[in-house]
Amino acid sequence: MNITVVGSTNIDLVYLVSHIVAAGETLHSTKHELFFGGKGANQAVTAGQLGAKVHFIGNVGADDFGEQIKQNLQDKGVNIAAVQNVGITGQAIIQLADSGENSIILFPGANFLVTPEQIEQHAERIVSSEVLLLQLEIPMSAVETAANIASKNGVPIILNPAPAQQISDSLLSKISILTPNETELAILTGMKTETEEELFQACSSLLQKGVGAVVVTLGAKGAYYMNHFEHGYVQANKVVAKDTTGAGDAFNGALAVGLCQGSSIKDSILYATNISAYVVTQMGAQPAIPSSFRVKS
């Protein structure tokens, strides 16, 4: 299983609070913790822990946080030969409420210094991959460059369209699997996404633009998926969530692993849903995943 992830790395500064702070409100935090994060790194670490050979392309800061992130990626089995030190390490300021819900402020730092030229320098890693994983915490020009390389060489692309923003039809047409949540799906399509019929119509509109399949993550409700042959829900295990910060990233990393193993899209979603359900019971966006979850090679 050879997976390349092009994306972001962060240091997550987590503040535990009774509830998400409202505008104009001052709230005391009961505890402060530091975790490794960034959507790209989260997905890479998940896939690596599940048994994949993972290459990461991206930036960390030329600072102590950057060196800590690189060491952590290496410790989790991720190849960092294509990671460069530049600028200041990206950071995420996270409020984590007693309910398990979160609110996040991103400082992109070095992530916004990822360039198309940097991606092209490591094109061979993308070409040799079974799956390319992308998100939107780096410049769109870099995302599009990676997608172009993968598309021209027949490498399937999973794009997690987060943080939510508009995506060109040209990029959408290259995506094998798009993995928005309900809010991101609504922003991408300009359509409502609350009912099954609305999900069907919104996903259909993306398939018409050339997306191979859409997998909508629904939190505790699991996922809804659609391709040109089937559609439906995949239920999630019921768990008591401690921290939902890395749930979507764990889902995407596990989805890539499932597909690399040759599982059907439905079975891969079920596997990813189970991994995500476990991750939200742990603190931080990159918790250790028990070896029992690893795919059998």
Side-chain angles (χ1 to χ4, degrees), residues 245-292:
T245 306
D249 300 329
F251 181 95
N252 279 270
L255 179 66
V257 170
L259 293 169
C260 281
Q261 281 293 291
S263 298
S264 68
I265 185 167
K266 185 173 183 179
D267 286 344
S268 296
I269 293 168
L270 179 59
Y271 176 63
T273 299
N274 289 337
I275 298 299
S276 182
Y278 172 79
V279 166
V280 301
T281 67
Q282 309 298 308
M283 289 296 297
Q286 297 179 18
I289 299 174
S291 60
S292 58

Side-chain angles (χ1 to χ4, degrees), residues 200-273:
F200 181 92
Q201 294 299 332
C203 291
S204 295
S205 72
L206 290 169
L207 295 187
Q208 291 168 11
K209 293 185 176 183
V211 176
V214 183
V215 180
V216 186
T217 54
L218 303 172
K221 294 183 289 184
Y224 178 88
Y225 74 102
M226 175 183 288
N227 58 23
H228 292 286
F229 308 102
E230 59 184 315
H231 62 89
Y233 286 96
V234 175
Q235 300 299 317
N237 291 335
K238 294 187 182 300
V239 297
V240 177
K242 288 184 180 179
D243 183 359
T244 61
T245 306
D249 300 329
F251 181 95
N252 279 270
L255 179 66
V257 170
L259 293 169
C260 281
Q261 281 293 291
S263 298
S264 68
I265 185 167
K266 185 173 183 179
D267 286 344
S268 296
I269 293 168
L270 179 59
Y271 176 63
T273 299

Side-chain angles (χ1 to χ4, degrees), residues 38-91:
K39 297 189 71 62
N42 296 345
Q43 294 177 11
V45 165
T46 298
Q49 291 191 88
L50 296 176
K53 181 180 179 182
V54 182
H55 290 266
F56 188 85
I57 303 174
N59 288 343
V60 298
D63 49 34
D64 288 343
F65 277 157
E67 291 304 318
Q68 291 175 38
I69 289 172
K70 288 170 67 174
Q71 187 61 56
N72 177 67
L73 288 170
Q74 278 191 307
D75 291 345
K76 297 292 178 61
V78 177
N79 187 302
I80 61 168
V83 176
Q84 67 178 27
N85 295 74
V86 57
I88 302 171
T89 296
Q91 297 177 26

Side-chain angles (χ1 to χ4, degrees), residues 98-165:
D98 291 343
S99 65
E101 295 304 306
N102 64 66
S103 175
I104 303 173
I105 300 172
L106 286 176
F107 168 69
N111 295 312
F112 268 21
L113 300 177
V114 177
T115 65
E117 293 74 21
Q118 180 182 348
I119 304 303
E120 289 168 353
Q121 289 173 7
H122 302 288
E124 74 284 351
R125 298 189 185 278
I126 297 173
V127 172
S128 64
S129 300
E130 295 173 61
V131 172
L132 171 66
L133 264 173
L134 298 170
Q135 332 77 36
L136 301 178
E137 287 184 341
I138 60 174
M140 187 64 78
S141 58
V143 173
E144 290 174 339
T145 299
N148 288 339
I149 294 169
S151 179
K152 289 177 182 177
N153 291 278
V155 178
I157 302 167
I158 298 175
L159 172 61
N160 178 213
Q165 57 187 280

